[in-house]
Amino acid sequence: MEASATSKLLVSDIASSVDHVPSNYVRPISDRPNLSIETSGDSIPMIDLQELHGPNRADVIYQVAHACASYGFFQIKNHGVPEKTIERMMTVAREFFRQPESERVKHYSADTKKTTRLSTSFNVGSEKVSNWREFLRLHCLPIEDFISEWPSSPVSFREVTAEYATSVRALVLVLLEEISESVGLAKDSDCKASNTLGKHSQHMALNYYPPCPQADLTFGLPGHKDPNLISALLQDEVSGLQVFKDGKWIAVHPVPNTFIVNVGDQMQVISNDKYKSVLHRAVVNSDKERISIPTFYCPSLDAVVGPQQELINEEEESHAAYRSFTYAEYYEKFWDRALATESCIDLFKASKI
Ligand code: OGA
Ligand code: NI
């Protein structure tokens, strides 16, 4: 039974036919999830974006600065993405993964350069231990360049996803303004984050974590830092995300109609280490499937990224912590490394003179 099950390509199809995890998913004892993290401890700040346009704007910017510097993560409410858009996106994602393997597998590819692809784990080409995750990755900016590659089943997939991606992009552009302002990049300067990204790119993942018979032995996604600029994650009502803070993992439990925003490696570089891209991971559970939908906003591949001059000269002592590079170079290194816990960003540190 198990032999035939493990020969299947996608974890969701394995999940439905095994009562223990195949050995290639089992983590070494020193690297297993803690599934019972206290909820009473530290939590990720929740920022109300409603206040952004009123008299309390400065306070919101201050909250963003504090969250980005101390956690690398925050949650947002009153973010402007309509509830209906969110609901439709979650529903179509669930419908996509509930289709038979024969339908989903049409999109399967292990080639990390493909702009639309279904895959499993993280990077099947380079990792040693597999992860309990199936995902569909899409490029979505500009939408018209990619929409014809997206799945056409379920029938509403393209329309719903396009509407969602457009709405989330508008939110991300607002967030980039706030984050730039909060870190000390003048609002109208060429230095603010959105002006350093070339033509801009936007990717999405639809992550599907099937129920797992031995959730204490494996991860949905092991600890990693996002390589892009900022990420905005939508999660369903099942917990699973954990964020590393002060030597401990904090669980981020779902709050309806909110997004979880995090600083990615490129924001750490642009901010010259003022803001940190932090480790996070996804655990699975034994009785519920979980869906999460991150949007990864990033520079276009030809954009040259480096610490912003304004943040280097601010104090006499400060120097550029990273060399400049193209995002293409960074992105290639990221996928080659198979989510090693050491940061990809360390490979781009400026050499000491
Ligand atoms: C990711 C990620 C977390 C989650 O896809 O990069 O961190 O909760 N996902 O699925
Ligand atoms: Ni991530």
Side-chain angles (χ1 to χ4, degrees):
M1 173 76 176
E2 194 185 313
S4 71
T6 52
S7 68
K8 290 192 174 169
L9 208 47
L10 298 168
V11 70
S12 44
D13 304 291
I14 298 168
S16 56
S17 61
V18 296
D19 56 13
H20 57 271
V21 301
S23 58
N24 56 316
Y25 290 89
V26 177
R27 293 262 150 197
I29 289 169
S30 60
D31 180 29
R32 289 185 185 170
N34 176 356
L35 298 177
S36 54
I37 287 178
E38 293 292 327
T39 51
S40 56
D42 208 350
S43 70
I44 301 303
M46 175 72 79
I47 301 179
D48 186 346
L49 294 190
Q50 186 108 65
E51 302 280 322
L52 214 51
H53 311 290
N56 294 334
R57 180 181 166 83
D59 180 50
V60 179
I61 301 293
Y62 175 79
Q63 290 177 48
V64 168
H66 172 70
C68 289
S70 311
Y71 293 83
F73 264 83
F74 53 96
Q75 308 178 74
I76 48 173
K77 60 181 181 183
N78 293 318
H79 42 65
V81 178
E83 217 172 302
K84 196 86 207 149
T85 305
I86 289 178
E87 202 180 290
R88 275 158 48 96
M89 186 66 234
M90 258 307 160
T91 302
V92 88
R94 192 165 287 116
E95 284 168 4
F96 175 83
F97 288 109
R98 289 200 176 148
Q99 297 177 116
E101 180 177 20
S102 56
E103 181 60 42
R104 287 177 288 127
V105 86
K106 289 177 188 165
H107 305 282
Y108 184 84
S109 172
D111 177 359
T112 61
K113 293 216 160 65
K114 278 199 85 165
T115 49
T116 302
R117 68 185 186 108
L118 180 79
S119 192
T120 187
S121 192
F122 168 69
N123 184 357
V124 289
S126 61
E127 65 205 0
K128 294 198 184 71
V129 185
S130 301
N131 304 295
W132 204 256
R133 173 178 81 133
E134 182 174 322
F135 64 96
L136 179 70
R137 240 190 120 101
L138 309 169
H139 285 214
C140 36
L141 186 70
I143 285 174
E144 58 276 18
D145 284 5
F146 302 105
I147 193 167
S148 61
E149 302 176 359
W150 295 356
S152 55
S153 172
V155 283
S156 62
F157 187 93
R158 290 180 182 177
E159 182 210 323
V160 169
T161 305
E163 178 191 317
Y164 178 83
T166 303
S167 196
V168 171
R169 177 172 193 235
L171 166 63
V172 166
L173 293 179
V174 170
L175 289 169
L176 285 181
E177 291 285 314
E178 309 329 325
I179 294 173
S180 296
E181 191 177 334
S182 75
V183 79
L185 292 172
K187 227 170 166 257
D188 300 317
S189 90
D190 288 346
C191 288
K192 67 175 184 176
S194 57
N195 289 340
T196 64
L197 309 177
K199 292 191 290 295
H200 295 208
S201 294
Q202 181 183 352
H203 305 172
M204 277 171 73
L206 277 52
N207 290 324
Y208 178 74
Y209 305 101
C212 177
Q214 292 171 295
D216 53 335
L217 300 184
T218 192
F219 285 110
L221 261 182
H224 68 281
K225 300 177 183 182
D226 291 349
N228 48 289
L229 184 72
I230 63 168
S231 309
L233 180 89
L234 178 68
Q235 54 176 343
D236 69 5
E237 64 293 339
V238 179
S239 295
L241 176 64
Q242 299 181 344
V243 173
F244 200 62
K245 166 91 166 44
D246 299 336
K248 289 195 302 251
W249 290 99
I250 315 177
V252 185
H253 296 295
V255 181
N257 284 308
T258 62
F259 285 88
I260 297 155
V261 179
N262 66 285
V263 170
D265 292 352
Q266 304 315 303
M267 186 58 82
Q268 179 168 343
V269 169
I270 287 172
S271 74
N272 203 32
D273 277 347
K274 284 193 159 185
Y275 290 171
K276 293 276 172 12
S277 175
V278 309
L279 278 178
H280 54 284
R281 66 188 188 185
V283 298
V284 288
N285 71 83
S286 58
D287 50 11
K288 291 192 190 105
E289 64 179 24
R290 173 170 182 261
I291 291 176
S292 73
I293 306 181
T295 292
F296 304 111
Y297 209 79
C298 32
S300 48
L301 290 174
D302 60 346
V304 176
V305 182
Q308 288 306 291
Q309 206 60 41
E310 265 174 279
L311 301 179
I312 297 170
N313 295 336
E314 209 177 13
E315 308 146 20
E316 276 180 28
E317 293 292 297
S318 81
H319 62 278
Y322 303 94
R323 67 173 174 87
S324 298
F325 49 82
T326 62
Y327 191 54
E329 187 188 349
Y330 198 94
Y331 203 56
E332 190 149 333
K333 282 240 167 48
F334 174 81
W335 282 103
D336 280 352
R337 292 167 49 265
L339 282 195
T341 318
E342 325 82 72
S343 291
C344 186
I345 204 169
D346 292 343
L347 304 172
F348 293 83
K349 286 226 159 91
S351 47
K352 298 251 165 21
I353 311 153

